[in-house]
Amino acid sequence: TYLKLNRIQEAHEHLLRVIEIAPKDPNGYVKLGSSYFSTGDRFDDAMRMFNQALALDPKHALTYNNIGAIQHDHGDYDDALGNFPSALDCQFKALAIDERTGNEASRAASLRTIGIVYTRSGDVAAGLDYYRKSLALCHADIDAIERGKTLNNIGINLKNLGDLAGAQSALDEARGVFVNLGLPLHEEAWALAERLQARRTQVDVAINLLWCCCALPQHRQKGLSCAEGALALGEYDGSDTLRNNLAWIYLEQNRLPDAARLYAVVAQAA
């Protein structure tokens, strides 16, 4: 409720009180850590909360998923300390717990996150394989948002592997999913993330909003503006995905220099 009212500090204080009341419940730490993570600039605080949750429950799948997300969001897998295996290990631990508990929705999310980690480490083919495994678990009528995100990831990886026809098919299907979910939902999510200054979330929302708006000609310019604004916020987990998608739209509009500029940034990051 506090978050919806743009009272993010009060939300954090409320979650801290929840932890004081139930200090042995890992869920309070996970929720507070996720809230810190969504702001885009409190990663150390988020990691501290997630580690406390793991100390209470070493089998908490969502916590491993979140820690892995922070590690690959910072590119830790690419440094001399070899944190990429650590980030990937967190994701596989989350996946193993999901498989034991039979939680297919969480398993699909874990598989997609593993795909992201592999892709950002440079192994696009392995990333594509895990995206496809995730897609197989995404039921169109239940997990529409997760399905749309996964199709989007598949399309980008296929494009990077040179399969332009396959990429176009996957991206078109992803676009259809987001359109069917309804433009007002994405606009509301964007407005809320913007009010909260949750920059990482703005980037994630802009990916969906861009596809949805560009599938509806009368909203195309709004989608482009939101995407361009989100990219100006800084580097986050979804930034390269958003660049790829925006470049694709630029190509459709024959804006070749703009598309080339974005692809150059993606290539440098790789």
Side-chain angles (χ1 to χ4, degrees):
T1 301
Y2 287 122
L3 291 176
K4 291 181 180 178
L5 295 174
N6 193 20
R7 293 156 62 179
I8 192 165
Q9 183 58 42
E10 289 179 72
H12 291 163
E13 291 173 357
H14 171 74
L15 288 169
L16 285 169
R17 287 196 294 273
V18 169
I19 290 172
E20 288 179 1
I21 295 170
K24 294 186 178 181
D25 184 352
N27 293 307
Y29 298 96
V30 174
K31 289 179 180 178
L32 181 57
S34 297
S35 182
Y36 286 149
F37 187 25
S38 71
T39 66
D41 58 3
R42 297 193 65 176
F43 298 111
D44 290 342
D45 289 331
M47 187 67 84
R48 181 166 53 84
M49 291 297 105
F50 294 147
N51 282 331
Q52 289 186 15
L54 280 185
L56 293 168
D57 182 3
K59 297 182 179 180
H60 202 284
L62 180 59
T63 307
Y64 285 113
N65 199 311
N66 290 342
I67 290 174
I70 288 179
Q71 288 173 319
H72 77 69
D73 200 42
H74 278 80
D76 289 345
Y77 46 74
D78 199 32
D79 66 19
L81 296 178
N83 284 330
F84 165 59
S86 178
L88 199 58
D89 182 58
C90 283
Q91 302 301 339
F92 277 116
K93 285 181 180 178
L95 179 61
I97 294 170
D98 293 334
E99 289 174 342
R100 288 198 298 272
T101 59
N103 189 335
E104 284 201 355
S106 182
R107 184 183 171 201
S110 295
L111 286 166
R112 189 173 77 85
T113 305
I114 290 171
I116 292 172
V117 176
Y118 271 122
T119 298
R120 293 194 63 187
S121 72
D123 195 340
V124 178
L128 178 61
D129 182 52
Y130 278 95
Y131 291 150
R132 284 173 166 160
K133 290 178 181 178
S134 174
L135 184 64
L137 296 174
C138 293
H139 304 288
D141 56 338
I142 300 175
D143 308 310
I145 293 178
E146 190 69 23
R147 181 176 179 82
K149 289 180 179 179
T150 306
L151 283 164
N152 191 65
N153 293 134
I154 288 172
I156 291 171
N157 279 34
L158 286 172
K159 179 175 68 65
N160 291 335
L161 290 170
D163 183 356
L164 299 185
Q168 185 68 65
S169 176
L171 292 173
D172 283 346
E173 189 175 350
R175 186 181 305 185
V177 170
F178 295 135
V179 170
N180 289 335
L181 287 172
L183 179 61
L185 175 64
H186 299 306
E187 289 180 324
E188 182 180 348
W190 171 264
L192 177 61
E194 191 173 34
R195 287 199 305 272
L196 296 176
Q197 296 183 340
R199 291 170 289 183
R200 180 179 182 275
T201 302
Q202 281 181 263
V203 173
D204 289 339
V205 171
I207 295 170
N208 302 346
L209 185 60
L210 176 64
W211 281 137
C212 194
C213 285
C214 289
L216 304 168
Q218 67 272 31
H219 296 285
R220 181 179 293 267
Q221 188 53 50
K222 178 172 184 177
L224 292 173
S225 297
C226 288
E228 291 162 353
L231 286 177
L233 295 174
E235 288 300 311
Y236 299 98
D237 179 43
S239 295
D240 280 344
T241 296
L242 184 56
R243 283 193 188 92
N244 270 290
N245 293 358
L246 185 56
W248 194 280
I249 300 299
Y250 283 159
L251 286 174
E252 290 182 342
Q253 296 181 323
N254 203 31
R255 295 172 58 178
L256 301 185
D258 290 328
R261 171 176 53 81
L262 292 179
Y263 283 138
V265 175
V266 173
Q268 289 175 357

